[in-house]
Amino acid sequence: MKIEIRNLTKRFDGVTAVNNLSLTLEGGRITGIVGPNGSGKTTLVNLLSGFLPIDGGTVIIDDTITVKKIQPHKIKSYGITRTFQDIRLFEQMSVLDNILVVLTERNLWCALFECHRPEHMQKAEEVLRMIDLWDKRDEPASNLSYGQRKLLEIGRAVSMEARVYLFDEPFAGLFPGMAEIVESILRQLRSQGCAVVLIEHDMDLIRGLTDYVFVLDSGVLLAEGRPHEVLQDRKVVEAYIGN
């Protein structure tokens, strides 16, 4: 799986948040997207997942699908899924049902009345054990701690069985044990050949977990390469690490 971004542009009231950006997100690789606040990281994810309209440029998926407009309800068909900085769950539904909704249907209304087949339940249990929430399966999502809620959202993304995963600060606010679970999930997705994109401010995580890094500054690509090389680049130190 590969996503190629060509000359991607997004403007807000005259401010260019993503400026003629070109980069490639490869399968079988964890790619870090870093940069100072306001550099365009989350805007890029919002463009790739259809939560913001693209003002210019194209997105090429697996060298075959060229997209100038991405709609949120179509990203599953492109093999793309994402998480959010602000956690988005079905709060009054149980932890288990939050996973089953993803596994069984395209929309919430149908999922509530669909008969869950054994394979759905088996997959849901597998995911919930992976994120250490199986024991919480019957509790409403609203009862979970912040870290558990974040793990549940990551579990929902994994349940999509996508080919491209866009993780927007998945480690923020997690205790070490929870962070280890997320790190294990990202490594597993990489081993399956998925393209894993990680927005992260912790440079130790970027150094230890990513295979390749893109550094953005004011919506422009400032540097790219292996993390241990890029994070020593003087331009990067001045623009980001030194802030």
Side-chain angles (χ1 to χ4, degrees):
M1 182 64 176
K2 179 175 73 172
I3 289 186
E4 186 178 352
I5 298 164
R6 293 184 181 175
N7 305 316
L8 200 63
T9 299
K10 180 62 187 176
R11 302 180 186 88
F12 296 102
D13 297 325
V15 176
T16 304
V18 174
N19 190 357
N20 204 36
L21 182 65
S22 296
L23 53 85
T24 300
L25 306 172
E26 298 279 359
R29 189 165 80 177
I30 300 176
T31 300
I33 306 291
V34 304
N37 291 332
S39 61
K41 304 183 298 296
T42 295
T43 299
L44 173 60
V45 170
N46 286 335
L47 293 172
L48 293 178
S49 54
F51 284 82
L52 287 174
I54 296 171
D55 291 337
T58 56
V59 177
I60 302 171
I61 303 171
D62 268 352
D63 296 322
T64 57
I65 304 173
T66 300
V67 183
K68 293 182 178 292
K69 181 179 180 181
I70 299 176
Q71 297 174 314
H73 66 277
K74 289 186 176 181
I75 64 170
K76 184 177 180 180
S77 66
Y78 298 141
I80 300 171
T81 191
R82 66 166 297 177
T83 64
F84 295 85
Q85 287 184 30
D86 54 326
I87 304 167
R88 303 186 183 188
L89 301 172
F90 296 115
E91 299 288 346
Q92 301 310 313
M93 292 176 65
S94 71
V95 169
L96 177 60
D97 283 339
N98 264 273
I99 299 295
L100 287 172
V101 164
V102 175
L103 291 173
T104 57
E105 256 299 338
R106 279 65 54 200
N107 64 75
L108 175 60
W109 181 254
C110 292
L112 288 174
F113 297 99
E114 183 174 3
C115 180
H116 300 133
R117 298 194 296 271
E119 58 266 31
H120 295 150
M121 295 299 295
Q122 181 178 348
K123 179 63 177 179
E125 179 176 352
E126 175 187 324
V127 171
L128 289 176
R129 289 192 183 279
M130 178 190 303
I131 60 176
D132 199 26
L133 289 179
W134 177 244
D135 290 344
K136 302 283 187 179
R137 61 189 178 277
D138 295 324
E139 293 193 25
S142 58
N143 285 3
L144 298 180
S145 69
Y146 174 82
Q148 290 170 332
R149 287 159 51 79
K150 200 150 196 177
L151 287 175
L152 181 55
E153 184 176 48
I154 291 168
R156 283 166 50 85
V158 171
S159 299
M160 298 288 288
E161 296 186 336
R163 295 178 294 162
V164 177
Y165 289 85
L166 310 172
F167 291 104
D168 195 350
E169 298 191 29
F171 293 95
L174 296 186
F175 291 116
M178 292 178 175
E180 288 176 5
I181 292 173
V182 176
E183 185 172 339
S184 175
I185 290 171
L186 267 59
R187 292 185 187 278
Q188 182 177 333
L189 293 173
R190 176 178 60 187
S191 71
Q192 295 169 354
C194 300
V196 180
V197 179
L198 173 63
I199 293 179
E200 181 54 54
H201 286 289
D202 186 329
M203 291 302 103
D204 288 335
L205 277 170
I206 290 294
R207 290 186 184 92
L209 188 56
T210 63
D211 305 293
Y212 202 82
V213 177
F214 293 102
V215 183
L216 305 185
D217 188 25
S218 300
V220 175
L221 182 61
L222 181 65
E224 64 175 288
R226 300 293 180 183
H228 66 279
E229 298 171 350
V230 169
L231 298 181
Q232 294 177 0
D233 188 306
R234 180 180 56 81
K235 299 190 304 292
V236 174
V237 173
E238 290 176 355
Y240 181 56
I241 302 175
N243 281 7

